[in-house]
Amino acid sequence: MAKETRTPLVCYRHPTRTARRKCYQCKRPVCPECQVREHGHIFCGRKCIKSHLKAQRLERFQRWNKTALTGFRARLILYGILAVAAAAALWFSSRYDRLFLYPHPDLSVPVASHARAVSDHIGPPDWKSGGPVKIENPASGAVLKDNRITVSGTAPREAMVGLYVNGEKVRAQLAPDGSWRFVGVPLTARESILQARFFD
């Protein structure tokens, strides 16, 4: 009975040399001269070493991914992230108009000592005294979507009318027939106060 003989391995780089080991990554036979020992294994070159390390990292990540999201600590971290995200969304939504639509800071209610003059020849209006001037448009307490509006009303004939938004002078014009109208008045705060005074 004939004995079965095995064909000796030949180095894939040197066909005339016998290979005693195989590359740990690609499994190709290598002779002692072509062997590279790294991380407790024999490789045929740097390319296979890099492939082996990449496969190890992927395997570790897959093992971590199977167990990381199942523990109490992982759930606690996830709930914390969701709570922070919800709080941030609520904060931005409550301040969206101030940050983007009306970037100017809110102004205080106008006071006579801080109100600007309508012109160089007219002093600040006396807000405590009454006057026959009326804002007809927009109505008091109206909710407006635009940040530039038209304001109109009535005043005595030949009066100089001054319009104030949150205590700041915006425009001034003469009302020869007793009516006045300002177009494109900017609203400088989320809640704006419109005031008008006339000067004879």
Side-chain angles (χ1 to χ4, degrees), residues 12 22-30 42-45 48 51:
Y12 81 98
K22 291 183 179 181
C23 174
Y24 186 79
Q25 183 64 23
C26 68
K27 309 303 180 184
R28 290 183 295 187
V30 287
I42 293 177
F43 300 93
C44 62
C48 282
S51 298

Side-chain angles (χ1 to χ4, degrees), residues 17-84:
R17 298 179 185 177
T18 302
R20 299 182 180 275
R21 304 291 296 271
K22 291 183 179 181
C23 174
Y24 186 79
Q25 183 64 23
C26 68
K27 309 303 180 184
R28 290 183 295 187
V30 287
C31 64
E33 185 179 343
C34 296
Q35 295 176 9
V36 180
R37 294 181 179 273
E38 288 283 348
H39 308 286
H41 301 289
I42 293 177
F43 300 93
C44 62
R46 304 303 303 177
K47 184 177 180 181
C48 282
I49 294 175
K50 291 180 180 179
S51 298
H52 172 69
L53 295 178
K54 184 177 180 181
Q56 275 191 328
R57 288 193 296 267
L58 181 60
E59 184 181 355
R60 284 197 298 268
F61 174 76
Q62 289 175 344
R63 285 200 304 266
W64 173 85
N65 194 30
K66 290 180 181 178
T67 59
L69 300 179
T70 59
F72 171 77
R73 183 180 299 177
R75 289 196 299 270
L76 188 64
I77 294 174
L78 180 62
Y79 294 152
I81 293 174
L82 291 177
V84 171

